[in-house]
Amino acid sequence: MKITDIKTFLMHAGAPEPKAWASDNVFGVNSYSPGITGTRNWLFVKVYTDQGIVGIGECSGWPRVVETAVQDLKRILIGEDPTHIERLWQRMQSAIMVHGMTGTVGGGAMTGIDMALWDIKGKALGVPVWNLLGGKLRDKIRIYAHANTPEVALSLKARGITAIKCGGVSDPVRMVAQLREAIGEEMDLMIDLHGVPWMTPGDAVQVARALEPYHLLFIEDPIAPDNLDDYKRIRDAAHVPLAAGERMSTIFGERELITSGLVDVIQPDTGRAGGITQMKKIAAMAEAHHIMMAPHSGSLGPVAEYAALHVLAAIPNALFLERIEDDWAGRAHTVIPHPISENGYLKVPDVPGLGVDIDEAFVAQYPSQANISVQATAASGSYAEGTHDEHLFVQTRLQRARYFSARQ
């Protein structure tokens, strides 16, 4: 079998319901055309073979730019045997290396192609991808959803969701206190301190200490992702589990978080970590350090979600999968079939390959219009008063008596 072509399918995905995404910034706020808001794009990849088997994958990590990277990689893959997945991954990595260290753009391009190769191999052998990864440990994958208010959290609880994550950098302690009081102790609760302006390490320590009484499952991305050294400072100062890793790609990008014991939960993004090949290796590295795996999936499309289900079904240290429960309505029409969700779990597919395809006609109705934005507004509360237009990457928290308190 030989690869004959690789095609990309880029679409402008609508923003999820505002209440569904626990963040100060909901994929941008601009409206570009009827039914299209925000700047979220989904990039799908199809790899074609001379035996008529077609594999599907998905890329993230700045999709509009990644699309060009996929087309550049295409020229070194045509004519190759798609079943030699590790060999082709090494070929792509070596080709990208001449441009510098592999970031999320290169990782995203390799991810979509690699995912499609696993899909092809599963279809060729007549088995699900999880079977190629060592077999299935579980038939369904626990998910967690997003909530920043007690009302949304209780609605999710009523639907069978057993874990929620709040997010944003505005009033984190107060938000967690309100949510814990509303949902009780039987639900798992997390907070994502993602995005600009990240806290300074000292402020992150103080937040972590203030959150100790609420017994969070983890605190995610408390400091800027390129400041790995200070994760140890937070760990030493506060007794709270930490999570990170969505902004890194490949085992080389995730390595220090894992081998230095900086996190309790590793969160590779299923669309930019380097593919199923790398996700399996990241999981194994994490397992050796007693670290759980919870793939990032918040802004991703539904093909990457399918890939995550196969990986999580086959690894022992799977924690759960992130999911936007009330996403853009078009998500359900983008893929065939839509994943089966029941009582806080997604069913693991049992058909050959990944078990999913895109509706190309539907995707074509939503051409990409924008894929980048300034990720905050003055009204979001992310920045100290009067500093929004500075667009700072890291910022010290002012009004400290209020910011680090759970009092109303």
Side-chain angles (χ1 to χ4, degrees), residues 109-251:
M110 289 192 292
T111 292
I113 295 171
D114 178 90
M115 200 182 294
L117 298 180
W118 282 97
D119 189 32
I120 288 171
K121 191 160 189 172
K123 290 173 178 175
L125 297 175
V127 297
V129 167
W130 53 255
N131 207 327
L132 303 176
L133 299 175
K136 188 165 57 172
L137 282 160
R138 50 194 68 87
D139 295 318
K140 57 185 181 180
I141 305 301
R142 186 184 183 215
I143 60 173
Y144 72 85
H146 294 239
N148 270 7
T149 66
E151 293 75 21
V152 174
L154 291 172
S155 171
L156 292 167
K157 184 177 182 179
R159 286 183 265 170
I161 304 296
T162 59
I164 58 170
K165 185 172 76 177
C166 58
V169 297
S170 305
D171 295 329
V173 182
R174 188 173 297 105
M175 185 189 305
V176 166
Q178 291 174 348
L179 289 170
R180 179 56 81 195
E181 182 178 4
I183 64 176
E185 297 182 351
E186 64 271 21
M187 287 187 76
D188 283 312
L189 178 60
M190 303 146 279
I191 186 169
D192 186 351
L193 297 172
H194 55 78
V196 292
W198 269 287
M199 291 185 288
T200 63
D203 285 353
V205 166
Q206 192 161 345
V207 165
R209 285 174 171 167
L211 291 175
E212 284 181 353
Y214 303 101
H215 306 293
L216 299 183
L217 192 60
F218 59 70
I219 296 176
E220 178 179 343
D221 283 349
I223 53 178
D226 48 8
N227 185 17
L228 297 184
D229 290 345
D230 281 311
Y231 271 91
K232 186 176 187 302
R233 177 178 174 184
I234 300 170
R235 290 189 71 80
D236 290 345
H239 301 290
V240 291
L242 299 179
E246 71 180 63
R247 291 174 172 83
M248 286 79 169
S249 291
T250 77
I251 54 173

Side-chain angles (χ1 to χ4, degrees), residues 72-91:
D72 215 21
L73 287 169
K74 169 180 172 179
R75 61 180 296 273
I76 67 169
L77 298 173
I78 299 296
E80 294 292 326
D81 186 334
T83 64
H84 299 317
I85 301 174
E86 182 66 49
R87 178 177 181 274
L88 295 188
W89 196 95
Q90 296 292 330
R91 185 179 179 87

Side-chain angles (χ1 to χ4, degrees), residues 184-339:
E185 297 182 351
E186 64 271 21
M187 287 187 76
D188 283 312
L189 178 60
M190 303 146 279
I191 186 169
D192 186 351
L193 297 172
H194 55 78
V196 292
W198 269 287
M199 291 185 288
T200 63
D203 285 353
V205 166
Q206 192 161 345
V207 165
R209 285 174 171 167
L211 291 175
E212 284 181 353
Y214 303 101
H215 306 293
L216 299 183
L217 192 60
F218 59 70
I219 296 176
E220 178 179 343
D221 283 349
I223 53 178
D226 48 8
N227 185 17
L228 297 184
D229 290 345
D230 281 311
Y231 271 91
K232 186 176 187 302
R233 177 178 174 184
I234 300 170
R235 290 189 71 80
D236 290 345
H239 301 290
V240 291
L242 299 179
E246 71 180 63
R247 291 174 172 83
M248 286 79 169
S249 291
T250 77
I251 54 173
F252 311 109
E254 306 283 4
R255 178 178 57 193
E256 188 173 352
L257 283 171
I258 295 171
T259 60
S260 297
L262 301 180
V263 295
D264 302 274
V265 179
I266 195 72
Q267 300 173 298
D269 184 291
T270 313
R272 62 184 177 228
I276 292 173
T277 298
Q278 291 292 295
M279 293 285 283
K280 177 71 170 175
K281 293 181 180 182
I282 292 167
M285 186 187 299
E287 180 189 356
H289 291 80
H290 307 291
I291 292 172
M292 302 300 290
M293 180 102 149
H296 174 256
S297 187
S299 56
L300 288 179
V303 173
E305 183 171 68
Y306 266 83
L309 293 178
H310 286 271
V311 172
L312 292 174
I315 61 173
N317 53 331
L319 183 59
F320 47 28
L321 178 64
E322 179 178 20
R323 191 165 204 252
I324 300 178
E325 274 298 276
D326 298 304
D327 204 345
W328 174 53
R331 185 185 185 99
H333 303 289
T334 301
V335 295
I336 308 163
H338 197 57

